Amino acid sequence: MSTATQVDPATPAGSTKALDQRRPLGDRGFAILALASGLLVLVILVWIAVSTTNQAWPWFTTEGWKIFTNNWNPAANDFGALAFIYGTAVTALIAVILAVPVSVGIAMLLTEVVPRRRAQPIVYVIDLLAVVPSVVWGLWGILVFVPWLNHIYAHIGSAVQGLWILGPLFGPPTSGASFFTCGVILAFMITPIVTSLSREVIATVPAIDKEGAYALGATRWEMITGAVWPHSQGGITGAVLLGLGRAVGETIAVALVIGSSAVITSHLFAPGYNMAAVIANQFGEATGVFRAALFGIGVLLFVFTIIINVLARGVVERSARRKRGA
Amino acid sequence: MTAVTGEPQKVDLHEAKGWRRTKNRIMTTLMVTSFVVVLIPLAFVLVTVIGKGASVISWSFLTSSIPPQTSPVGVGGIGPAIVGTIEITAVATVIAVPLGILGAIYLNEYGGKNPLSAFIGFMSDVMTGVPSIIMGLFIFTIWTLHFGLSGFGGALALACLMLPIVIRSSYEILRLVPNSLREGSYALGATKARVTVTVVLPAAIGGIVSGALLAVARAAGETAPLLFTIGAAHMTNRNVFSGANTSLPSLIFTNASSPYAGAEALGWGAALTLIAICFILMIVARLVTARFARYTH
């Protein structure tokens, strides 16, 4: 601690000037290094936006507003991306609808029902689910899940054919590799993140609110709806949005099980396509405007996920702030 | 449960009856059911991968080079993919972990509550949500187009993916280090850099390592960032910096849509190996947390 002896003990307590002047070079260097690493995040995000937009420029200029048409035919130089945007929206929505009730249920189970010691194994299982790589879900999906669902979809399809609403949604044509299969696998994949974020939010509910509800004679479920839910609503909305963001950006599992057919259809059991999957599957053979189009879809995907994530983080932070203030 | 005495009316302290009680039971059952619902696909996937993967895994499978897709079951192995995964993930870790820790140090030790630091923290969280395929496109543009396919390109893409995760997990741990430690060492006349490196970091090292390991586990299983950056290889490529490479996830992705039984079996074997690697990393992360947890909640 040689710096300690360098400080003039006669320096008045109110002035730190002498101390500042002797700040060694290494100290300042370290501060700059840390700042640079922090700024790196911003640099990378801006760089991603600029470099991919730059690559995608030919698509935007040659197609103009036609990029939002439903006409994807690389052989004829038609690059309308609407079918992929539609596929992304549909699969992500299915995933969120399936995953959210289950995730919030598990989060409630972990925080309000099961005692802490017994909750730990459940947390391990959820973590395990999070560790299974996307490509393994895809491999299992295409080789095991899809062939199995083929028959089930065919049965459901013939049962609801011609029925009001159900017919157009679940009727034929059916295929194991479809929007719905993709949504289900995405649901498995986003469950861990939605669960753990909801759990964090629910854990912040003050014990006094919960005890108050119990003291008034509430059952556990009444306590959850009356004390836990109003408190954690905002945070859970954020968790759901983050899950949505994940589902939108997930690539490899989707590329394997979605069926690779660029159509817009109400039939959920029919093969479809989405933004991430088309980039993964077609980038290898793409050149010229085709490649630019795939880059453009990437830019759109980047913009969508950034918007969803900014919204989600905003919601989470706002609800956290409100809770601290209360 | 006896009723409260001294009151004119007896207060009923028994559990709620009738519909209220039934509803409570139904909802509790639904919560348990939701856990079971999650357990089923997980068990299904694990049993399939272990069942189909264990039958092909042997020492020669783990070390031989990758055969053509048309080869029968039992020929060749996944050696180059294992080497590739280790190389690429290791390089990505060497890039992302120090930068991530430094970033977290800026956020917690230097930035504090100032607007820039808050903004960086917010954007770093947002960056966690950027799809991995976008990282692949990004590195393809800035690296692969200029320097060609190589393991290093893949490592850069994985590093972009890991960076915000490491920042977030390290930041959460640094926040838990008690201020009295910092104040104690300032009082001894240490500079800020010295306090951070010799006092704060050692106090937080367990959590930081564990967070970094989880980020590595996540990166090791990623395919999308590698699709356009590393190419494909059938032989072991020991040079990360040049020449096409391969990895376990890329191999599984290629083989998953292959019509040949041999390629499929290879895919299952690779999937089991990959899951084993990821699980081991996760378990080690847990052990590190348990061993070094000093300032956790």
Side-chain angles (χ1 to χ4, degrees):
Chain A
M1 300 290 142
S2 55
T3 47
T5 54
Q6 289 168 9
V7 178
D8 181 6
T11 313
S15 150
T16 51
K17 212 164 171 234
L19 284 169
D20 278 345
Q21 278 167 349
R22 295 188 195 192
R23 243 180 116 185
L25 197 65
D27 191 39
R28 259 178 298 154
F30 187 75
I32 291 166
L33 202 63
L35 175 63
S37 306
L39 288 172
L40 187 63
V41 168
L42 305 182
V43 171
I44 290 177
L45 282 174
V46 172
W47 201 359
I48 291 176
V50 170
S51 65
T52 52
T53 310
N54 193 25
Q55 290 287 323
W57 202 247
W59 185 51
F60 294 130
T61 50
T62 58
E63 297 279 309
W65 286 107
K66 277 197 293 178
I67 62 173
F68 293 116
T69 58
N70 174 25
N71 186 8
W72 180 264
N73 185 0
N77 268 326
D78 289 323
F79 301 105
L82 194 64
F84 307 116
I85 300 173
Y86 172 79
T88 295
V90 169
T91 49
L93 276 181
I94 296 174
V96 167
I97 291 171
L98 293 176
V100 166
V102 171
S103 309
V104 176
I106 300 172
M108 298 276 187
L109 180 77
L110 285 169
T111 44
E112 306 303 336
V113 180
V114 182
R116 211 172 216 207
R117 204 155 20 91
R118 300 239 202 90
Q120 207 52 46
I122 302 183
V123 175
Y124 284 141
V125 169
I126 303 295
D127 284 353
L128 222 61
L129 194 67
V131 165
V132 175
S134 173
V135 71
V136 174
W137 284 115
L139 180 76
W140 173 78
I142 190 76
L143 294 179
V144 180
F145 201 40
V146 164
W148 185 66
L149 287 173
N150 250 329
H151 307 290
I152 297 179
Y153 286 170
H155 284 301
I156 299 177
S158 55
V160 301
Q161 191 167 13
L163 290 181
W164 176 72
I165 292 197
L166 290 179
L169 278 182
F170 302 111
T174 65
S175 151
S178 65
F179 287 118
F180 196 78
T181 312
C182 178
V184 171
I185 291 198
L186 285 175
F188 297 153
M189 298 179 70
I190 65 171
T191 297
I193 182 154
V194 181
T195 304
S196 70
L197 290 168
S198 311
R199 195 167 75 99
E200 274 173 33
V201 172
I202 295 171
T204 61
V205 177
I208 199 156
D209 287 18
K210 299 196 264 183
E211 284 157 11
Y214 278 133
L216 290 171
T219 62
R220 179 155 54 214
W221 177 244
E222 287 162 350
M223 184 280 289
I224 288 174
T225 51
V228 174
W229 182 248
H231 216 279
S232 40
Q233 238 173 352
I236 290 178
T237 313
V240 171
L241 280 172
L242 284 179
L244 181 73
R246 272 293 159 81
V248 164
E250 194 44 65
T251 310
I252 291 301
V254 174
L256 288 169
V257 301
I258 198 166
S260 304
S261 154
V263 290
I264 296 183
T265 165
S266 66
H267 296 277
L268 298 181
F269 290 166
Y273 228 145
N274 83 0
M275 300 166 81
V278 74
I279 304 174
N281 283 341
Q282 303 194 346
F283 194 82
E285 66 233 38
T287 49
V289 182
F290 188 8
R291 179 186 277 177
L294 293 176
F295 264 109
I297 294 174
V299 172
L300 293 179
L301 188 62
F302 179 68
V303 172
F304 291 166
T305 48
I306 290 281
I307 292 173
I308 294 173
N309 276 279
V310 166
L311 279 178
R313 298 290 174 185
V315 169
V316 170
E317 286 202 355
R318 215 184 48 188
S319 78
R321 238 196 332 265
R322 209 176 41 223
K323 247 171 273 156
R324 274 198 300 273
Chain B
M1 293 285 148
T2 53
V4 178
T5 51
E7 294 275 321
Q9 254 182 332
K10 284 195 170 178
V11 178
D12 184 13
L13 290 179
H14 284 284
E15 191 189 345
K17 288 197 191 74
W19 171 234
R20 292 178 58 207
R21 176 171 167 176
T22 319
K23 192 159 75 173
N24 189 33
R25 294 250 167 109
I26 292 173
M27 296 321 288
T28 310
T29 318
L30 278 181
M31 288 179 211
V32 177
T33 316
S34 56
F35 176 60
V36 177
V37 164
V38 167
L39 217 52
I40 293 168
L42 179 65
F44 199 173
V45 168
L46 291 185
V47 167
T48 320
V49 171
I50 293 171
K52 299 207 177 198
S55 59
V56 294
I57 285 191
S58 63
W59 180 248
S60 83
F61 177 80
L62 294 176
T63 49
S64 326
S65 56
I66 301 166
Q69 295 217 332
T70 48
S71 313
V73 179
V75 172
I78 55 169
I82 295 181
V83 175
T85 291
I86 294 173
E87 282 173 347
I88 294 168
T89 319
V91 173
T93 308
V94 168
I95 300 170
V97 170
L99 288 174
I101 296 175
L102 278 170
I105 287 176
Y106 170 72
L107 292 184
N108 195 57
E109 308 294 321
Y110 288 90
K113 285 200 162 70
N114 77 27
L116 176 65
S117 160
F119 183 63
I120 291 177
F122 184 81
M123 289 321 277
S124 149
D125 282 352
V126 168
M127 190 175 164
T128 340
V130 172
S132 53
I133 188 134
I134 304 292
M135 300 302 184
L137 287 177
F138 169 56
I139 298 301
F140 175 83
T141 325
I142 66 159
W143 183 267
T144 314
L145 277 181
H146 306 292
F147 305 100
L149 296 165
S150 71
F152 187 68
L156 283 178
L158 289 185
C160 288
L161 199 79
M162 290 169 72
L163 182 70
I165 308 179
V166 177
I167 291 183
R168 168 50 56 180
S169 62
S170 309
Y171 172 73
E172 291 296 338
I173 301 298
L174 289 177
R175 248 166 36 137
L176 295 174
V177 176
N179 246 340
S180 51
L181 285 185
R182 297 187 183 91
E183 285 154 6
S185 31
Y186 282 136
L188 292 173
T191 59
K192 187 149 192 167
R194 187 167 267 261
V195 171
T196 307
V197 175
T198 60
V199 175
V200 178
L201 276 185
I205 195 70
I208 290 177
V209 169
S210 140
L213 282 172
L214 289 177
V216 173
R218 168 101 195 274
E222 277 292 343
T223 321
L226 307 180
L227 279 179
F228 326 128
T229 48
I230 65 167
H234 293 278
M235 305 298 288
T236 304
N237 179 357
R238 288 188 197 285
N239 186 352
V240 189
F241 295 97
S242 84
N245 214 318
T246 185
S247 74
L248 285 169
S250 320
L251 178 68
I252 300 170
F253 182 60
T254 321
N255 284 16
S257 39
S258 158
Y260 303 105
E264 211 176 278
L266 206 72
W268 286 114
L272 180 57
T273 317
L274 181 61
I275 285 201
I277 292 175
C278 293
F279 279 8
I280 290 170
L281 284 169
M282 190 185 91
I283 292 167
V284 173
R286 287 267 171 213
L287 292 178
V288 168
T289 317
R291 172 73 182 74
F292 292 96
R294 259 198 276 179
Y295 304 109
T296 49
H297 357 242

